[in-house]
Amino acid sequence: MAFLQSLSLMFFCIKPDKWTKFSGTEENKNLVMNFFNTEDIMILVLYINNAGLLTASLGFPASVKTKGVYFVKKKMVRITPENIRDSLSVGDISNSPVEQLLTVLEEVVCTLFTNTDNMTTWPQVVSEDVVKHAQQLKNDVFVFGGQLKGKALLALPKIADDLEDSDEESDRYDSFDGATLHAIESVVIDWTHQVKDVLNKDSAQALLDGLNPLPREEIDFWDLRLKDLKCLHEQLWMPKARKISEVLEKSKSSYWPALKSLYYDIRAGLEEASDIVLYLIPLKSLIDELEQTEYSEVSRITLGKGQKCGNN
């Protein structure tokens, strides 16, 4: 227990009295002792629950509001004071697993796979393929993390940081090697798919699927489309994205027309969504009232409003 106590105090930055309260609870004490003494219980997780108390679990909880600490046995053994340091893997759990995974990919996986010192004995084809897949995985997780937050995020190639820091007047866009230009063009392909996914969504899709959507869903659809297109537009006009477009244009890449078309599509979609959202605003209060009205009263209320409008 002293080993768990020292790590918990360090990870959670809690006062010793919280640990005393935790270890004094019979349920928590039994969970910890079962983990130590039972060979086939492999996982122990400590975390702060919603009440602000330190809690134990023999498995990873479905959700953690704050970070947690996990202890995983390397093999099925009883944990003793003699083998505790060699038999356990210890780490922390973020309350946002996707962000934690993205951090691991950026700081560990991609760093390892893009360090040339780690590839001295690898064939060039293999090393380039590993770097490409590591970058693609990082981009996919980045985009997925944005979706969880309700944002349409565009991943950038690794070269984007170097482009932003470079002196525009001294840039030689025709000096990029094929691999670098291919990485930029691959990202543009991904951008195209993401933008098309937003623009190709149909507000009538629920009806086409045989569902019975309420009028509010039409308003929500256009509110969401406007939000997504604003987010995409802002990202494509950021300095890093503008540098990428300059590289494609000045290197005479065949993907430059596609990227230019993407700018036009987003701008046109943004204008359309802005106009529709603006003209739907007067309907919001009417739709709210309609959806809160009993079905039998709908025709009477609608008729009443029509007569009132006619009298005016």
PDB file of all heavy atoms in Angstrom, residues 138-169:
ATOM      1  N   LYS A 138      -1.751   9.730 -37.317  1.00  0.00           N
ATOM      2  CA  LYS A 138      -1.865  10.930 -36.489  1.00  0.00           C
ATOM      3  C   LYS A 138      -2.940  11.865 -37.040  1.00  0.00           C
ATOM      4  O   LYS A 138      -3.749  12.419 -36.282  1.00  0.00           O
ATOM      5  CB  LYS A 138      -0.519  11.664 -36.425  1.00  0.00           C
ATOM      6  CG  LYS A 138      -0.523  12.827 -35.437  1.00  0.00           C
ATOM      7  CD  LYS A 138       0.790  13.564 -35.439  1.00  0.00           C
ATOM      8  CE  LYS A 138       0.894  14.480 -36.636  1.00  0.00           C
ATOM      9  NZ  LYS A 138       2.023  15.435 -36.540  1.00  0.00           N
ATOM     10  N   ASN A 139      -2.974  12.029 -38.358  1.00  0.00           N
ATOM     11  CA  ASN A 139      -3.985  12.895 -38.976  1.00  0.00           C
ATOM     12  C   ASN A 139      -5.394  12.357 -38.742  1.00  0.00           C
ATOM     13  O   ASN A 139      -6.323  13.121 -38.455  1.00  0.00           O
ATOM     14  CB  ASN A 139      -3.717  13.016 -40.471  1.00  0.00           C
ATOM     15  CG  ASN A 139      -2.466  13.817 -40.783  1.00  0.00           C
ATOM     16  OD1 ASN A 139      -1.908  14.467 -39.902  1.00  0.00           O
ATOM     17  ND2 ASN A 139      -2.013  13.754 -42.016  1.00  0.00           N
ATOM     18  N   ASP A 140      -5.556  11.039 -38.864  1.00  0.00           N
ATOM     19  CA  ASP A 140      -6.882  10.435 -38.665  1.00  0.00           C
ATOM     20  C   ASP A 140      -7.376  10.649 -37.237  1.00  0.00           C
ATOM     21  O   ASP A 140      -8.558  10.956 -37.016  1.00  0.00           O
ATOM     22  CB  ASP A 140      -6.832   8.939 -38.979  1.00  0.00           C
ATOM     23  CG  ASP A 140      -6.637   8.661 -40.465  1.00  0.00           C
ATOM     24  OD1 ASP A 140      -6.855   9.583 -41.272  1.00  0.00           O
ATOM     25  OD2 ASP A 140      -6.257   7.524 -40.819  1.00  0.00           O
ATOM     26  N   VAL A 141      -6.482  10.477 -36.265  1.00  0.00           N
ATOM     27  CA  VAL A 141      -6.864  10.672 -34.867  1.00  0.00           C
ATOM     28  C   VAL A 141      -7.181  12.138 -34.603  1.00  0.00           C
ATOM     29  O   VAL A 141      -8.129  12.467 -33.876  1.00  0.00           O
ATOM     30  CB  VAL A 141      -5.747  10.183 -33.925  1.00  0.00           C
ATOM     31  CG1 VAL A 141      -6.067  10.519 -32.479  1.00  0.00           C
ATOM     32  CG2 VAL A 141      -5.552   8.682 -34.069  1.00  0.00           C
ATOM     33  N   PHE A 142      -6.411  13.050 -35.230  1.00  0.00           N
ATOM     34  CA  PHE A 142      -6.659  14.486 -35.077  1.00  0.00           C
ATOM     35  C   PHE A 142      -8.055  14.856 -35.586  1.00  0.00           C
ATOM     36  O   PHE A 142      -8.806  15.573 -34.929  1.00  0.00           O
ATOM     37  CB  PHE A 142      -5.584  15.265 -35.837  1.00  0.00           C
ATOM     38  CG  PHE A 142      -5.790  16.754 -35.840  1.00  0.00           C
ATOM     39  CD1 PHE A 142      -5.500  17.512 -34.716  1.00  0.00           C
ATOM     40  CD2 PHE A 142      -6.273  17.401 -36.973  1.00  0.00           C
ATOM     41  CE1 PHE A 142      -5.688  18.894 -34.721  1.00  0.00           C
ATOM     42  CE2 PHE A 142      -6.470  18.772 -36.989  1.00  0.00           C
ATOM     43  CZ  PHE A 142      -6.171  19.518 -35.860  1.00  0.00           C
ATOM     44  N   VAL A 143      -8.405  14.342 -36.763  1.00  0.00           N
ATOM     45  CA  VAL A 143      -9.722  14.625 -37.346  1.00  0.00           C
ATOM     46  C   VAL A 143     -10.832  14.020 -36.492  1.00  0.00           C
ATOM     47  O   VAL A 143     -11.864  14.652 -36.236  1.00  0.00           O
ATOM     48  CB  VAL A 143      -9.796  14.083 -38.791  1.00  0.00           C
ATOM     49  CG1 VAL A 143     -11.214  14.193 -39.336  1.00  0.00           C
ATOM     50  CG2 VAL A 143      -8.824  14.843 -39.691  1.00  0.00           C
ATOM     51  N   PHE A 144     -10.613  12.787 -36.015  1.00  0.00           N
ATOM     52  CA  PHE A 144     -11.614  12.127 -35.176  1.00  0.00           C
ATOM     53  C   PHE A 144     -11.807  12.882 -33.864  1.00  0.00           C
ATOM     54  O   PHE A 144     -12.938  13.021 -33.375  1.00  0.00           O
ATOM     55  CB  PHE A 144     -11.180  10.690 -34.904  1.00  0.00           C
ATOM     56  CG  PHE A 144     -12.145   9.912 -34.046  1.00  0.00           C
ATOM     57  CD1 PHE A 144     -13.425   9.634 -34.497  1.00  0.00           C
ATOM     58  CD2 PHE A 144     -11.773   9.468 -32.785  1.00  0.00           C
ATOM     59  CE1 PHE A 144     -14.316   8.928 -33.704  1.00  0.00           C
ATOM     60  CE2 PHE A 144     -12.654   8.759 -31.988  1.00  0.00           C
ATOM     61  CZ  PHE A 144     -13.936   8.490 -32.455  1.00  0.00           C
ATOM     62  N   GLY A 145     -10.698  13.371 -33.298  1.00  0.00           N
ATOM     63  CA  GLY A 145     -10.805  14.166 -32.072  1.00  0.00           C
ATOM     64  C   GLY A 145     -11.632  15.416 -32.283  1.00  0.00           C
ATOM     65  O   GLY A 145     -12.411  15.818 -31.417  1.00  0.00           O
ATOM     66  N   GLY A 146     -11.502  16.033 -33.469  1.00  0.00           N
ATOM     67  CA  GLY A 146     -12.324  17.191 -33.780  1.00  0.00           C
ATOM     68  C   GLY A 146     -13.791  16.839 -33.890  1.00  0.00           C
ATOM     69  O   GLY A 146     -14.659  17.587 -33.438  1.00  0.00           O
ATOM     70  N   GLN A 147     -14.083  15.675 -34.472  1.00  0.00           N
ATOM     71  CA  GLN A 147     -15.475  15.240 -34.603  1.00  0.00           C
ATOM     72  C   GLN A 147     -16.110  15.038 -33.231  1.00  0.00           C
ATOM     73  O   GLN A 147     -17.285  15.360 -33.034  1.00  0.00           O
ATOM     74  CB  GLN A 147     -15.534  13.946 -35.412  1.00  0.00           C
ATOM     75  CG  GLN A 147     -15.169  14.131 -36.880  1.00  0.00           C
ATOM     76  CD  GLN A 147     -15.093  12.818 -37.633  1.00  0.00           C
ATOM     77  OE1 GLN A 147     -15.046  11.745 -37.034  1.00  0.00           O
ATOM     78  NE2 GLN A 147     -15.067  12.893 -38.948  1.00  0.00           N
ATOM     79  N   LEU A 148     -15.347  14.504 -32.286  1.00  0.00           N
ATOM     80  CA  LEU A 148     -15.878  14.323 -30.935  1.00  0.00           C
ATOM     81  C   LEU A 148     -16.211  15.660 -30.277  1.00  0.00           C
ATOM     82  O   LEU A 148     -17.106  15.744 -29.435  1.00  0.00           O
ATOM     83  CB  LEU A 148     -14.868  13.560 -30.069  1.00  0.00           C
ATOM     84  CG  LEU A 148     -14.624  12.084 -30.413  1.00  0.00           C
ATOM     85  CD1 LEU A 148     -13.625  11.483 -29.440  1.00  0.00           C
ATOM     86  CD2 LEU A 148     -15.930  11.291 -30.378  1.00  0.00           C
ATOM     87  N   LYS A 149     -15.482  16.710 -30.666  1.00  0.00           N
ATOM     88  CA  LYS A 149     -15.735  18.043 -30.110  1.00  0.00           C
ATOM     89  C   LYS A 149     -16.747  18.827 -30.940  1.00  0.00           C
ATOM     90  O   LYS A 149     -17.029  19.981 -30.646  1.00  0.00           O
ATOM     91  CB  LYS A 149     -14.418  18.829 -30.046  1.00  0.00           C
ATOM     92  CG  LYS A 149     -13.376  18.224 -29.127  1.00  0.00           C
ATOM     93  CD  LYS A 149     -12.088  19.024 -29.194  1.00  0.00           C
ATOM     94  CE  LYS A 149     -11.016  18.407 -28.323  1.00  0.00           C
ATOM     95  NZ  LYS A 149      -9.732  19.138 -28.413  1.00  0.00           N
ATOM     96  N   GLY A 150     -17.258  18.194 -32.007  1.00  0.00           N
ATOM     97  CA  GLY A 150     -18.208  18.877 -32.870  1.00  0.00           C
ATOM     98  C   GLY A 150     -17.558  19.861 -33.813  1.00  0.00           C
ATOM     99  O   GLY A 150     -18.189  20.835 -34.237  1.00  0.00           O
ATOM    100  N   LYS A 151     -16.287  19.627 -34.179  1.00  0.00           N
ATOM    101  CA  LYS A 151     -15.567  20.529 -35.070  1.00  0.00           C
ATOM    102  C   LYS A 151     -15.065  19.763 -36.287  1.00  0.00           C
ATOM    103  O   LYS A 151     -14.633  18.617 -36.174  1.00  0.00           O
ATOM    104  CB  LYS A 151     -14.374  21.168 -34.358  1.00  0.00           C
ATOM    105  CG  LYS A 151     -14.746  22.060 -33.185  1.00  0.00           C
ATOM    106  CD  LYS A 151     -13.497  22.654 -32.551  1.00  0.00           C
ATOM    107  CE  LYS A 151     -13.840  23.569 -31.386  1.00  0.00           C
ATOM    108  NZ  LYS A 151     -12.621  24.132 -30.759  1.00  0.00           N
ATOM    109  N   ALA A 152     -15.107  20.435 -37.432  1.00  0.00           N
ATOM    110  CA  ALA A 152     -14.567  19.847 -38.666  1.00  0.00           C
ATOM    111  C   ALA A 152     -13.122  20.317 -38.813  1.00  0.00           C
ATOM    112  O   ALA A 152     -12.856  21.392 -39.338  1.00  0.00           O
ATOM    113  CB  ALA A 152     -15.400  20.272 -39.869  1.00  0.00           C
ATOM    114  N   LEU A 153     -12.183  19.516 -38.322  1.00  0.00           N
ATOM    115  CA  LEU A 153     -10.770  19.902 -38.311  1.00  0.00           C
ATOM    116  C   LEU A 153     -10.042  19.327 -39.517  1.00  0.00           C
ATOM    117  O   LEU A 153     -10.274  18.185 -39.909  1.00  0.00           O
ATOM    118  CB  LEU A 153     -10.095  19.420 -37.024  1.00  0.00           C
ATOM    119  CG  LEU A 153     -10.646  19.994 -35.712  1.00  0.00           C
ATOM    120  CD1 LEU A 153      -9.831  19.472 -34.532  1.00  0.00           C
ATOM    121  CD2 LEU A 153     -10.621  21.518 -35.732  1.00  0.00           C
ATOM    122  N   LEU A 154      -9.148  20.121 -40.088  1.00  0.00           N
ATOM    123  CA  LEU A 154      -8.338  19.705 -41.221  1.00  0.00           C
ATOM    124  C   LEU A 154      -6.917  19.432 -40.741  1.00  0.00           C
ATOM    125  O   LEU A 154      -6.282  20.297 -40.136  1.00  0.00           O
ATOM    126  CB  LEU A 154      -8.315  20.795 -42.296  1.00  0.00           C
ATOM    127  CG  LEU A 154      -9.657  21.162 -42.930  1.00  0.00           C
ATOM    128  CD1 LEU A 154      -9.481  22.350 -43.863  1.00  0.00           C
ATOM    129  CD2 LEU A 154     -10.243  19.974 -43.679  1.00  0.00           C
ATOM    130  N   ALA A 155      -6.426  18.228 -41.004  1.00  0.00           N
ATOM    131  CA  ALA A 155      -5.063  17.877 -40.618  1.00  0.00           C
ATOM    132  C   ALA A 155      -4.075  18.535 -41.568  1.00  0.00           C
ATOM    133  O   ALA A 155      -4.367  18.760 -42.748  1.00  0.00           O
ATOM    134  CB  ALA A 155      -4.879  16.364 -40.631  1.00  0.00           C
ATOM    135  N   LEU A 156      -2.900  18.858 -41.048  1.00  0.00           N
ATOM    136  CA  LEU A 156      -1.853  19.488 -41.840  1.00  0.00           C
ATOM    137  C   LEU A 156      -0.673  18.540 -42.005  1.00  0.00           C
ATOM    138  O   LEU A 156      -0.399  17.725 -41.116  1.00  0.00           O
ATOM    139  CB  LEU A 156      -1.368  20.773 -41.166  1.00  0.00           C
ATOM    140  CG  LEU A 156      -2.376  21.933 -41.110  1.00  0.00           C
ATOM    141  CD1 LEU A 156      -1.871  23.010 -40.172  1.00  0.00           C
ATOM    142  CD2 LEU A 156      -2.611  22.510 -42.490  1.00  0.00           C
ATOM    143  N   PRO A 157       0.051  18.627 -43.110  1.00  0.00           N
ATOM    144  CA  PRO A 157       1.250  17.791 -43.259  1.00  0.00           C
ATOM    145  C   PRO A 157       2.351  18.274 -42.333  1.00  0.00           C
ATOM    146  O   PRO A 157       2.354  19.425 -41.881  1.00  0.00           O
ATOM    147  CB  PRO A 157       1.637  18.002 -44.730  1.00  0.00           C
ATOM    148  CG  PRO A 157       1.097  19.349 -45.066  1.00  0.00           C
ATOM    149  CD  PRO A 157      -0.173  19.492 -44.269  1.00  0.00           C
ATOM    150  N   LYS A 158       3.304  17.413 -42.057  1.00  0.00           N
ATOM    151  CA  LYS A 158       4.393  17.745 -41.141  1.00  0.00           C
ATOM    152  C   LYS A 158       5.197  18.946 -41.635  1.00  0.00           C
ATOM    153  O   LYS A 158       5.695  19.749 -40.848  1.00  0.00           O
ATOM    154  CB  LYS A 158       5.305  16.528 -40.971  1.00  0.00           C
ATOM    155  CG  LYS A 158       6.379  16.676 -39.911  1.00  0.00           C
ATOM    156  CD  LYS A 158       7.154  15.381 -39.761  1.00  0.00           C
ATOM    157  CE  LYS A 158       8.195  15.511 -38.651  1.00  0.00           C
ATOM    158  NZ  LYS A 158       9.225  16.511 -38.967  1.00  0.00           N
ATOM    159  N   ILE A 159       5.300  19.105 -42.938  1.00  0.00           N
ATOM    160  CA  ILE A 159       6.089  20.186 -43.527  1.00  0.00           C
ATOM    161  C   ILE A 159       5.473  21.552 -43.286  1.00  0.00           C
ATOM    162  O   ILE A 159       6.116  22.590 -43.465  1.00  0.00           O
ATOM    163  CB  ILE A 159       6.260  19.938 -45.047  1.00  0.00           C
ATOM    164  CG1 ILE A 159       7.320  20.873 -45.661  1.00  0.00           C
ATOM    165  CG2 ILE A 159       4.931  20.135 -45.760  1.00  0.00           C
ATOM    166  CD1 ILE A 159       8.697  20.625 -45.172  1.00  0.00           C
ATOM    167  N   ALA A 160       4.201  21.602 -42.831  1.00  0.00           N
ATOM    168  CA  ALA A 160       3.491  22.876 -42.672  1.00  0.00           C
ATOM    169  C   ALA A 160       4.194  23.804 -41.695  1.00  0.00           C
ATOM    170  O   ALA A 160       4.244  25.020 -41.908  1.00  0.00           O
ATOM    171  CB  ALA A 160       2.055  22.628 -42.225  1.00  0.00           C
ATOM    172  N   ASP A 161       4.747  23.264 -40.607  1.00  0.00           N
ATOM    173  CA  ASP A 161       5.458  24.095 -39.629  1.00  0.00           C
ATOM    174  C   ASP A 161       6.679  24.755 -40.257  1.00  0.00           C
ATOM    175  O   ASP A 161       6.957  25.933 -40.020  1.00  0.00           O
ATOM    176  CB  ASP A 161       5.874  23.259 -38.417  1.00  0.00           C
ATOM    177  CG  ASP A 161       4.679  22.782 -37.611  1.00  0.00           C
ATOM    178  OD1 ASP A 161       3.665  23.504 -37.585  1.00  0.00           O
ATOM    179  OD2 ASP A 161       4.753  21.693 -37.015  1.00  0.00           O
ATOM    180  N   ASP A 162       7.429  24.001 -41.063  1.00  0.00           N
ATOM    181  CA  ASP A 162       8.615  24.558 -41.719  1.00  0.00           C
ATOM    182  C   ASP A 162       8.229  25.635 -42.731  1.00  0.00           C
ATOM    183  O   ASP A 162       8.924  26.633 -42.880  1.00  0.00           O
ATOM    184  CB  ASP A 162       9.403  23.443 -42.421  1.00  0.00           C
ATOM    185  CG  ASP A 162       9.901  22.389 -41.443  1.00  0.00           C
ATOM    186  OD1 ASP A 162      10.121  22.749 -40.267  1.00  0.00           O
ATOM    187  OD2 ASP A 162      10.053  21.234 -41.844  1.00  0.00           O
ATOM    188  N   LEU A 163       7.112  25.433 -43.419  1.00  0.00           N
ATOM    189  CA  LEU A 163       6.663  26.414 -44.401  1.00  0.00           C
ATOM    190  C   LEU A 163       6.291  27.730 -43.736  1.00  0.00           C
ATOM    191  O   LEU A 163       6.613  28.809 -44.234  1.00  0.00           O
ATOM    192  CB  LEU A 163       5.458  25.878 -45.174  1.00  0.00           C
ATOM    193  CG  LEU A 163       5.710  24.729 -46.141  1.00  0.00           C
ATOM    194  CD1 LEU A 163       4.394  24.218 -46.696  1.00  0.00           C
ATOM    195  CD2 LEU A 163       6.627  25.158 -47.266  1.00  0.00           C
ATOM    196  N   GLU A 164       5.617  27.648 -42.580  1.00  0.00           N
ATOM    197  CA  GLU A 164       5.177  28.868 -41.903  1.00  0.00           C
ATOM    198  C   GLU A 164       6.369  29.652 -41.368  1.00  0.00           C
ATOM    199  O   GLU A 164       6.370  30.881 -41.372  1.00  0.00           O
ATOM    200  CB  GLU A 164       4.230  28.525 -40.749  1.00  0.00           C
ATOM    201  CG  GLU A 164       3.596  29.748 -40.119  1.00  0.00           C
ATOM    202  CD  GLU A 164       2.690  29.401 -38.958  1.00  0.00           C
ATOM    203  OE1 GLU A 164       2.969  28.400 -38.267  1.00  0.00           O
ATOM    204  OE2 GLU A 164       1.706  30.120 -38.748  1.00  0.00           O
ATOM    205  N   ASP A 165       7.422  28.943 -40.935  1.00  0.00           N
ATOM    206  CA  ASP A 165       8.591  29.606 -40.370  1.00  0.00           C
ATOM    207  C   ASP A 165       9.556  30.118 -41.428  1.00  0.00           C
ATOM    208  O   ASP A 165      10.471  30.880 -41.127  1.00  0.00           O
ATOM    209  CB  ASP A 165       9.349  28.640 -39.445  1.00  0.00           C
ATOM    210  CG  ASP A 165       8.513  28.237 -38.244  1.00  0.00           C
ATOM    211  OD1 ASP A 165       7.602  29.004 -37.887  1.00  0.00           O
ATOM    212  OD2 ASP A 165       8.769  27.163 -37.670  1.00  0.00           O
ATOM    213  N   SER A 166       9.381  29.696 -42.678  1.00  0.00           N
ATOM    214  CA  SER A 166      10.326  30.064 -43.720  1.00  0.00           C
ATOM    215  C   SER A 166      10.091  31.480 -44.213  1.00  0.00           C
ATOM    216  O   SER A 166       9.015  32.060 -44.044  1.00  0.00           O
ATOM    217  CB  SER A 166      10.218  29.085 -44.896  1.00  0.00           C
ATOM    218  OG  SER A 166       8.929  29.143 -45.448  1.00  0.00           O
ATOM    219  N   ASP A 167      11.112  32.059 -44.829  1.00  0.00           N
ATOM    220  CA  ASP A 167      11.028  33.400 -45.399  1.00  0.00           C
ATOM    221  C   ASP A 167      10.407  33.298 -46.778  1.00  0.00           C
ATOM    222  O   ASP A 167      10.954  32.669 -47.675  1.00  0.00           O
ATOM    223  CB  ASP A 167      12.430  34.003 -45.488  1.00  0.00           C
ATOM    224  CG  ASP A 167      12.409  35.413 -46.058  1.00  0.00           C
ATOM    225  OD1 ASP A 167      11.299  35.956 -46.245  1.00  0.00           O
ATOM    226  OD2 ASP A 167      13.497  35.960 -46.305  1.00  0.00           O
ATOM    227  N   GLU A 168       9.267  33.950 -46.961  1.00  0.00           N
ATOM    228  CA  GLU A 168       8.514  33.800 -48.207  1.00  0.00           C
ATOM    229  C   GLU A 168       9.339  34.224 -49.413  1.00  0.00           C
ATOM    230  O   GLU A 168       9.263  33.621 -50.478  1.00  0.00           O
ATOM    231  CB  GLU A 168       7.223  34.616 -48.140  1.00  0.00           C
ATOM    232  CG  GLU A 168       6.322  34.395 -49.337  1.00  0.00           C
ATOM    233  CD  GLU A 168       4.988  35.093 -49.188  1.00  0.00           C
ATOM    234  OE1 GLU A 168       4.744  35.648 -48.107  1.00  0.00           O
ATOM    235  OE2 GLU A 168       4.225  35.099 -50.159  1.00  0.00           O
ATOM    236  N   GLU A 169      10.140  35.289 -49.280  1.00  0.00           N
ATOM    237  CA  GLU A 169      10.886  35.791 -50.429  1.00  0.00           C
ATOM    238  C   GLU A 169      11.992  34.844 -50.871  1.00  0.00           C
ATOM    239  O   GLU A 169      12.399  34.822 -52.024  1.00  0.00           O
ATOM    240  CB  GLU A 169      11.484  37.159 -50.101  1.00  0.00           C
ATOM    241  CG  GLU A 169      10.428  38.225 -49.881  1.00  0.00           C
ATOM    242  CD  GLU A 169      11.043  39.580 -49.611  1.00  0.00           C
ATOM    243  OE1 GLU A 169      12.292  39.667 -49.563  1.00  0.00           O
ATOM    244  OE2 GLU A 169      10.276  40.550 -49.453  1.00  0.00           O
TER     245      GLU A 169
END
